[in-house]
Amino acid sequence: GVCICDLSGTVSFFFPPLGTCNSSTSDPSSSSSSSFSRSNTPVKKISPERLSRKWVTKLSSPIFSTPVFVPSTTENEPHLLLVCAVDGTQYLLSLADGGVVSELQLGGPVFSSPTLSQDGLTAFVGCHDAHLYALDLRPTPTGTEQGPSIRILWKLKVASPVYSSPYFFQLDLAHSARSTSTT
């Protein structure tokens, strides 16, 4: 799905996964009526003119992967973006102003988009150095305050450089055992 939010978290546009698009025109910039829905739930359409740039941050190298939204874990922390630069630098950027909150250098170039665990505290990213990394995004003490940071939890050596994005899922072993058992 696609979601565009303002800085307060208000959803301006949401196209749900597996939704349908009913359009009377093939030109998306046309002013004619288009509607997006999933299970008969109407979705608000916005025009490109209503979008504006909020911030720009210069990073160490280009980004070939998709940044990932990292929700704040407390009221006092900002929402973040995890961005993987091609040179292997991982950035946590403040969603509010684009400022670099934390950064970490991996062992090679990164073309893989990060994937977050369900709790949003661990990111998984593949690297051209032939490793899969688990990155800890939990806040850590910085001076007298808590602050978001990126640390390597572990890395797994794989057979070749990683270009694709990892996929995270939880397997319910108890359910699997019940569904495959015989009576």
Side-chain angles (χ1 to χ4, degrees), residues 19 21 31-32 48 52 65 70 77 94 102 134 153 162 177:
C21 174
S31 60
S32 65
S52 64
S65 62
V70 180
E77 292 177 14
S94 167
S102 181
L153 280 174
V162 180

Side-chain angles (χ1 to χ4, degrees), residues 24 45 47 66 85 108 143 146 154 162 169:
S24 60
K45 177 183 174 186
S47 63
T66 303
Q146 294 273 34
W154 51 259
V162 180
F169 68 95

